[in-house]
Amino acid sequence: FLQECKTKNRTEESLQLFQSLLGYSYFVESSWILFLNKKDLFAEKIQTSNLVEYFPAYVGPKQHEIEGRNFLASLFQDMFLGCESTTKRDRSSFISHALRILRISIKSITVLRKLFWETILQN
């Protein structure tokens, strides 16, 4: 049972959860598909927030939705690629799929479905 903390940044909470899942031995041989949803909520919040206040490593422009999304996606990607149990094949698969997924909109959900089945069938 997972309960959201009212006082903690939800993105930081998601990063911690992702990192803990990467460490479980149950998932060493598993494929990963990461969905970064709530794009509309992020687009709304970025207009009144400065990402650098929450993530000092962010060096992009203030209130820039695409740069901010790319930065947050890179945090998850870096965490995955830095995981000891991540194989070379996993790394190349994650990068190619992540780059494609970042460009997917609601209109092209069929592309996402295709990527999902490609990943499942590869393993």
Side-chain angles (χ1 to χ4, degrees):
F1 172 58
L2 180 66
Q3 186 174 3
E4 289 181 347
C5 177
K6 302 274 186 217
T7 59
K8 190 169 192 172
N9 178 299
R10 295 222 173 112
T11 304
E12 288 177 351
E13 195 173 34
S14 296
L15 284 162
Q16 287 179 347
L17 176 62
F18 187 60
Q19 185 172 31
S20 68
L21 291 172
L22 288 172
Y24 282 117
S25 59
Y26 306 113
F27 300 123
V28 170
E29 299 294 323
S30 299
S31 294
W32 288 84
I33 297 176
L34 177 65
F35 293 96
L36 301 175
N37 62 343
K38 299 191 180 185
K39 181 175 137 180
D40 55 335
L41 184 59
F42 180 76
E44 183 181 311
K45 286 191 172 195
I46 195 72
Q47 298 307 313
T48 58
S49 300
N50 186 358
L51 203 53
V52 77
E53 292 174 15
Y54 303 97
F55 297 96
Y58 177 69
V59 294
K62 289 182 181 179
Q63 300 164 334
H64 195 279
E65 179 187 351
I66 295 170
E67 289 290 325
R69 271 197 338 239
N70 289 342
F71 171 76
L72 293 176
S74 74
L75 294 177
F76 287 95
Q77 179 177 324
D78 292 348
M79 190 177 291
F80 179 80
L81 297 177
C83 180
E84 289 179 22
S85 63
T86 305
T87 66
K88 197 176 211 177
R89 182 188 57 78
D90 291 335
R91 287 185 175 101
S92 63
S93 177
F94 183 88
I95 292 170
S96 65
H97 289 338
L99 292 175
R100 285 190 272 175
I101 288 171
L102 285 174
R103 292 175 181 84
I104 292 175
S105 67
I106 296 299
K107 295 175 188 172
S108 57
I109 199 72
T110 55
V111 174
L112 182 58
R113 191 175 299 133
K114 180 180 178 222
L115 289 173
F116 171 79
W117 285 112
E118 282 178 10
T119 302
I120 296 297
L121 293 175
Q122 280 179 357
N123 299 308

